[in-house]
Amino acid sequence: MIKVSIAGGTGYTAGELLRILLNHPGVTLESVISSSSAGMPVAGIHRDLLGETDITFSDNTGHPDVIFLCLGHGLSRAFLNENDIPAACKVIDLGNDFRNDPVFGERNFVFGLCELNREQIRKANSVANPGCFSSSIMLALLPLAALNKLTDDIHVHAITGSTGAGKKPVGTTHFSYRDNNISVYKPFTHQHLAEIERTLKAAGNKVLPPIQWIPMRGDFTRGIFASVYTRWDNLMSETEVINYYKEYYKTSPFVFVSDEPISLKEVVNTNKCLLHIGFHNGYIHITSVLDNLLKGASGQAVQNMNLMFGLDETMGLRLKGSVY
């Protein structure tokens, strides 16, 4: 059994990790770290786990085989500096500290997008989990990047649920603001742009055109719906492009290309990403949907853990969505 510790145990991503790992046949929980809540029952914070576990929060890491860092962005480096994590302990960071700056002492963090870096992740000691918004956009564009077909401006409109902003309440996550409301934030400047651009170049699109991205806040709690379009050169037929996407993701157990238009509820509570491809007046249009807390965070982190320990990639992640 793999011994697992979770740092930053009171947040949304930690709660989702716990929900998955408590039912994962290959792991045992070593510690759930929260200095402010040490000694308190985990189910007292994560109420959906009431009756599922009697574990309590701890203020020390224990002796895990792998530690998940579910800390606020910018806090993972500080945690690793302040805690003596043995070199043999694997680290999976769900924050943004190592996505674009992967070196930390003797550790070199592999970017944990399974659909691109599966073999590197299998050999990795440390993994930087991708961001939720970036996961949805990268999965929409990876096949085109692999063909070096991204040659004109890429336009993205993507809307996320309130859990994407984390558990700490701010004005724009308050119910009275979010309810019956949609708003734009960080247009053209979102922090995930850097990892998207770097990853698409690494996938094969060496010269990347500008990404014109409008992120939006939605009036729902979880999920991301991304609408992505760019000009298409028509050197492949529409059928060839769709078949190419299906072939590209044939070995990816959680990414599926739908022949019918997709909606957000089809992926909420799952580790799936669904894609749909359309063509309109010289443009290719890809829609991409995933659960920001699962395929965009904790589910993808467990998928990375499975790969790092030589387990079946899907172990613990066969989750049923709640379409109704």
Side-chain angles (χ1 to χ4, degrees), residues 9-23:
T10 61
Y12 290 141
T13 55
E16 289 298 278
L17 267 176
L18 285 163
R19 182 168 69 91
I20 296 168
L21 295 174
L22 285 169
N23 294 290

Side-chain angles (χ1 to χ4, degrees), residues 212-233:
Q212 314 292 1
W213 176 17
I214 307 297
M216 303 179 72
R217 306 181 185 97
D219 63 340
F220 49 91
T221 57
R222 45 195 302 169
I224 289 175
F225 189 105
S227 172
V228 183
Y229 65 94
T230 188
R231 288 194 182 275
W232 183 242
D233 61 17

Side-chain angles (χ1 to χ4, degrees), residues 168-212:
K168 186 177 180 180
V170 295
T172 53
T173 58
H174 196 283
F175 176 79
S176 59
Y177 179 88
R178 284 273 184 159
D179 187 44
N180 293 311
N181 197 17
I182 295 176
S183 60
V184 169
Y185 76 109
K186 298 180 181 177
F188 307 106
T189 62
H190 197 282
Q191 66 272 15
H192 287 183
L193 264 174
E195 68 189 84
I196 295 170
E197 292 169 345
R198 178 179 50 77
T199 302
L200 294 178
K201 288 178 182 178
N205 224 102
K206 302 302 183 185
V207 179
L208 192 71
I211 300 176
Q212 314 292 1

Side-chain angles (χ1 to χ4, degrees), residues 67-103:
I67 185 167
F68 292 90
L69 305 182
C70 298
L71 305 160
H73 295 310
L75 298 179
S76 296
R77 284 183 183 273
F79 180 89
L80 292 178
N81 276 321
E82 294 165 4
N83 293 271
D84 185 19
I85 306 299
C89 177
K90 299 182 189 296
V91 175
I92 301 174
D93 182 30
L94 279 76
N96 66 2
D97 291 37
F98 304 109
R99 293 171 189 162
N100 300 300
D101 186 9
V103 178

Side-chain angles (χ1 to χ4, degrees), residues 87-308:
C89 177
K90 299 182 189 296
V91 175
I92 301 174
D93 182 30
L94 279 76
N96 66 2
D97 291 37
F98 304 109
R99 293 171 189 162
N100 300 300
D101 186 9
V103 178
F104 180 85
E106 297 300 313
R107 293 185 182 273
N108 194 341
F109 283 76
V110 171
F111 188 61
L113 186 64
C114 303
E115 290 73 20
L116 180 65
N117 293 330
R118 183 174 283 106
E119 294 311 311
Q120 296 96 309
I121 295 165
R122 290 189 201 277
K123 304 170 186 174
N125 179 257
S126 307
V127 164
N129 220 52
C132 52
F133 254 144
S134 56
S135 294
S136 64
I137 296 166
M138 291 184 297
L139 291 173
L141 293 171
L142 272 184
L144 297 183
L147 290 175
N148 196 29
K149 291 289 189 180
L150 298 172
T151 58
D152 198 76
D153 280 22
I154 301 161
H155 301 269
V156 181
H157 289 78
I159 185 166
T160 184
S162 59
T163 53
K167 194 172 183 179
K168 186 177 180 180
V170 295
T172 53
T173 58
H174 196 283
F175 176 79
S176 59
Y177 179 88
R178 284 273 184 159
D179 187 44
N180 293 311
N181 197 17
I182 295 176
S183 60
V184 169
Y185 76 109
K186 298 180 181 177
F188 307 106
T189 62
H190 197 282
Q191 66 272 15
H192 287 183
L193 264 174
E195 68 189 84
I196 295 170
E197 292 169 345
R198 178 179 50 77
T199 302
L200 294 178
K201 288 178 182 178
N205 224 102
K206 302 302 183 185
V207 179
L208 192 71
I211 300 176
Q212 314 292 1
W213 176 17
I214 307 297
M216 303 179 72
R217 306 181 185 97
D219 63 340
F220 49 91
T221 57
R222 45 195 302 169
I224 289 175
F225 189 105
S227 172
V228 183
Y229 65 94
T230 188
R231 288 194 182 275
W232 183 242
D233 61 17
N234 294 319
L235 295 179
M236 295 170 69
S237 70
E238 296 177 7
T239 299
E240 286 173 329
V241 175
I242 293 169
N243 287 339
Y244 168 69
Y245 261 78
K246 290 179 178 179
E247 182 67 21
Y248 186 92
Y249 286 118
K250 184 173 67 174
T251 60
S252 300
F254 295 112
V255 182
F256 302 96
V257 179
S258 172
D259 293 328
E260 302 296 327
I262 54 179
S263 64
L264 197 56
K265 276 192 173 184
E266 294 159 40
V267 295
V268 169
N269 202 46
T270 79
N271 198 52
K272 292 180 185 177
C273 175
L274 298 186
L275 304 173
H276 178 260
I277 303 161
F279 299 86
H280 308 276
N281 298 322
Y283 287 89
I284 182 171
H285 177 227
I286 307 109
T287 47
S288 171
V289 291
L290 54 73
D291 186 318
N292 60 292
L293 290 180
L294 288 171
K295 185 57 177 165
S298 302
Q300 186 153 229
V302 172
Q303 192 177 350
N304 279 315
M305 180 198 74
N306 287 340
L307 288 170
M308 293 167 80

